Amino acid sequence: WASLQTISGISGKADYSSVTLFKNNLYIVAGGSVYVSGNGTDWSKNNGLSDNVTTLLTSFNGFLTGIKTVGTDSKFCVTTDEQTWTIGETVPSDFPTANISATSYTLRTNSNIHKAILMGDNPSLGANDTIAVPWSTFDGKEWIDQSASTGYCPKTSKSNMSIIYYNNKFYAFGGKGSTGFNAFYVSEEGRIWKEVEEKVGFPKSFAGRGEYSYVVDNNNFIWLIWSKTAKNNDEVWKGRINSLGFTAQ
């Protein structure tokens, strides 16, 4: 590991939760504009994409997706050329716009069809934002609410949930405070969820920790990177389902 050098080239307050990897470059939103970097340190404004952008959502299958203001409405938008946005549908009032976590996969029935799914926080709901509702898309221009009346995924602490596609299933985890990281939740298709009650879990010491980042590597390890707080050190943890570490015979 090496210390991150001073970041340059970004004007205005950057939303670091919006950082998205697309075509081997990093993208971030700051003050309604989009900035791009090849190394995470030196940034430059992307003039073609910089116009009232609220946040970036995810990238998948050649699309970079986000939300921007058009007139008085919030609209989904996508780009494939890194220069212009294609405007999609109006963003629903209950769509998450903060602390976005997203993943993508190909359908089991057709490996040529790519689908993205995300979770996040909706600041407008306040204390009523208690369920981690998954939203999915095939093209980034229209997102579908995948919530269910039963078997929904609760927010373990109403904020900072993460979602990954792992071992051919969806897993949700995370949160802040004493109720954060109390369990994994799993779903076959991202709609009906259940708590994982055996074999997959977190150390009790994870509860009450602060901000974190995560990544899944090519060896199926889930890495958790914790920020330093007054009570906890900055640490890196990793784990995986044991069976994914062996070659099937």
Side-chain angles (χ1 to χ4, degrees), residues 4 39 44 60-61 67 69 75 80 86 125 130 149 193 201 209 219 227 243 247:
L4 184 65
N39 58 17
S44 60
F60 75 106
N61 195 32
I67 296 175
T69 302
K75 297 282 190 177
T80 57
T86 298
L125 296 180
T130 59
S149 57
W193 296 80
R209 302 204 62 151
N219 294 315
S227 298
S243 61
T247 303

Side-chain angles (χ1 to χ4, degrees), residues 26 30 87 133 142 165 191:
L26 295 170
I87 304 303
V133 177
E142 180 180 16
Y165 190 66
R191 181 173 174 81

Side-chain angles (χ1 to χ4, degrees), residues 139-181:
D139 61 7
K141 294 183 288 186
E142 180 180 16
W143 290 79
I144 306 300
D145 181 341
Q146 290 199 179
S147 61
S149 57
T150 60
Y152 60 84
C153 182
K155 285 191 173 181
T156 57
S157 66
K158 302 182 182 178
S159 180
N160 246 22
M161 293 291 288
S162 298
I163 183 172
I164 59 175
Y165 190 66
Y166 183 76
N167 195 29
N168 296 318
K169 299 180 179 67
F170 293 99
Y171 285 87
F173 59 90
K176 296 180 180 179
S178 60
T179 58
F181 281 90

Side-chain angles (χ1 to χ4, degrees), residues 214-225:
Y214 71 93
V215 67
V216 181
D217 68 19
N218 292 332
N219 294 315
N220 297 306
F221 279 106
I222 302 171
W223 294 75
L224 293 173
I225 302 97

